[in-house]
Amino acid sequence: MAVRAVRGAVQLERDEAAHMDEQVGALLTEVLDRNGLTADDLISVWFTATPDLHSDFPAAAARKLGITDVPLICAQELDIAGAMPRVVRVLAHIESDKPRSEIAHVYLGTAAALRKDIAQ
């Protein structure tokens, strides 16, 4: 079993806690589903949010999904002029037998424009 990293992102339509829970929950669910993972396969998860998001911690959505015994951390994304607004990014460290080339990185909706090279 190897340690792998899975990337992903989602752009929120608005800065509201319920909307963040919904969208980040959808992102995490898709990361797990596309990679054939369960919460037991997660080692740790890093979340970043753009500076214009203030309504809640993205990690709260993971806890609401039942991911309760995995280390989670939130940080603020760099405030770069012209960057896509209202984006939550995720970097999940996982245990998997898949080679790196088979890991499915998940960029939902308009966030797919962030990484056209790896977005599935």
Side-chain angles (χ1 to χ4, degrees):
M1 191 76 60
V3 174
R4 299 286 183 230
V6 183
R7 289 287 317 268
V10 64
Q11 183 181 38
L12 305 185
E13 294 175 17
R14 58 194 173 280
D15 184 22
E16 295 175 1
H19 182 60
M20 183 179 290
D21 281 348
E22 175 189 316
Q23 294 299 305
V24 174
L27 175 61
L28 291 172
T29 298
E30 198 66 21
V31 165
L32 295 173
D33 289 350
R34 287 191 194 178
N35 288 288
L37 303 169
T38 68
D40 287 338
D41 299 314
L42 296 171
I43 297 169
S44 64
V45 183
W46 281 78
F47 296 92
T48 64
T50 51
D52 52 0
L53 294 175
H54 309 247
S55 62
D56 204 357
F57 295 99
R63 299 291 184 223
K64 290 175 183 169
L65 285 178
I67 301 171
T68 57
D69 61 350
V70 175
L72 307 175
I73 194 165
C74 297
Q76 189 175 79
E77 193 70 34
L78 294 173
D79 191 9
I80 304 298
M84 184 180 286
R86 300 177 318 279
V87 175
V88 174
R89 291 172 172 86
V90 63
L91 172 64
H93 299 97
I94 63 169
E95 291 181 317
S96 177
D97 288 327
K98 289 184 177 185
R100 284 187 190 138
S101 62
E102 291 182 17
I103 298 296
H105 304 284
V106 179
Y107 290 78
L108 297 180
T110 54
L114 295 170
R115 290 298 306 265
K116 293 178 184 175
D117 58 323
I118 63 172
Q120 303 287 318

